[in-house]
Amino acid sequence: MLVEDEAGLAILLKDVCKRLGCAWFALSHHVDFLAAPDRGIRVHNYPEEWALWFDRRRLGVADPVHRASQRSAAGFLWHNMARYDPPREGDAEILAEARRHGIGDGLTIPAHIPGEAHGSISFAWEPGRAAMPEALPFARTIGGPFFEAARFLANPGLAYPNARLTDRQRECLIWAAKGTPVWAIARIVGLSPDTVKEHLKNARARYDVNGGTLLAVRALYDGDISFADIAQR
């Protein structure tokens, strides 16, 4: 998908709305855009009054659709989202306010990228029209490419990623995350204890963290290591 800017992306998303027979689209990271406007991507055609109401209430993470998408991998119709995240106090008010602004039922495709805030791409119909199940497979097909295009527009450097950890740093970190002491890691990987300490020190520097626990958490979050790596004996 080749687009030059967010305006071009919005044009394509409007075309998708026409194909789906819906009125609205929203491609967004789930962040507080008033507090951190540069932390995420957001391209939408929702009414500005609704977007302002949404932001003033800090709903980037707490919105019921966003919460449900964080527990789904394949996407869902909004009228089925309770199966992913039970309703909470205040959800009915949010959905009623959305309807007041002309946003009724919809569907959402999650976008989960390690190391980034959760995100999603949604398409919504006007009140009185239900999101059709047959729209979901098509939205799943185009959702990922659209979100990736938006990420690259916002940060062109993502197309040329640098390795966060070297192979040796990663190897030492995996054993450390298992709770293995430095002297034992050294014996397992065939290095001196001082060299193992140096690899772990450099790994912490790459992530700009001080502790081993935080290093493991950051590496897990970014996808440099996985829970499967730690669980393997």
Side-chain angles (χ1 to χ4, degrees):
M1 182 181 302
L2 297 176
V3 292
E4 296 182 354
D5 51 31
E6 289 189 4
L9 192 64
I11 290 172
L12 290 178
L13 287 166
K14 288 178 182 178
D15 183 63
V16 173
C17 283
K18 290 180 181 179
R19 292 172 182 268
L20 294 177
C22 64
W24 313 107
F25 66 81
L27 184 155
S28 178
H29 275 117
H30 303 167
V31 300
D32 183 344
F33 279 96
L34 286 186
D38 297 328
R39 189 176 165 220
I41 306 160
R42 181 161 64 175
V43 181
H44 70 87
N45 71 336
Y46 283 153
E48 289 302 323
E49 295 83 0
W50 160 251
L52 183 60
W53 187 90
F54 186 97
D55 286 345
R56 283 177 173 171
R57 284 156 182 78
R58 304 293 200 263
L59 295 178
V61 176
D63 174 70
V65 172
H66 287 183
R67 294 197 325 262
S69 75
Q70 293 175 14
R71 298 189 176 190
S72 171
F76 55 91
L77 303 173
W78 291 359
H79 58 256
N80 292 331
M81 64 183 170
R83 72 176 59 175
Y84 297 96
D85 189 83
R88 299 181 187 176
E89 183 179 357
D91 285 357
E93 178 191 0
I94 295 170
L95 297 175
E97 187 68 19
R99 287 192 296 271
R100 192 176 75 80
H101 285 91
I103 305 167
D105 196 14
L107 63 87
T108 292
I109 308 299
H112 304 314
I113 310 295
E116 297 182 13
H118 287 292
S120 62
I121 180 169
S122 296
F123 297 96
W125 283 254
E126 294 176 340
R129 297 188 61 192
M132 303 301 292
E134 55 265 29
L136 194 55
F138 175 67
R140 286 170 176 157
T141 301
I142 58 92
F146 266 102
F147 202 89
E148 186 155 296
R151 291 175 64 240
F152 287 162
L153 284 175
N155 187 356
L158 291 173
Y160 307 97
N162 295 317
R164 296 184 184 89
L165 301 179
T166 66
D167 290 342
R168 275 302 198 183
Q169 289 167 357
R170 182 175 177 276
E171 184 180 24
C172 292
L173 173 56
I174 289 171
W175 284 107
K178 295 174 185 281
T180 310
V182 167
W183 65 265
I185 296 174
R187 181 175 298 176
I188 293 168
V189 301
L191 299 172
S192 72
D194 285 343
T195 302
V196 170
K197 290 179 182 178
E198 188 68 18
H199 282 314
L200 292 174
K201 176 184 176 182
N202 291 337
R204 291 193 297 272
R206 283 180 178 244
Y207 272 106
D208 193 24
V209 297
N210 293 321
T213 299
L214 187 54
L215 171 61
V217 170
R218 287 288 304 278
L220 282 166
Y221 188 66
D222 279 0
D224 270 341
I225 65 174
S226 69
F227 287 105
D229 291 326
I230 298 173
Q232 288 177 352
R233 295 184 178 277

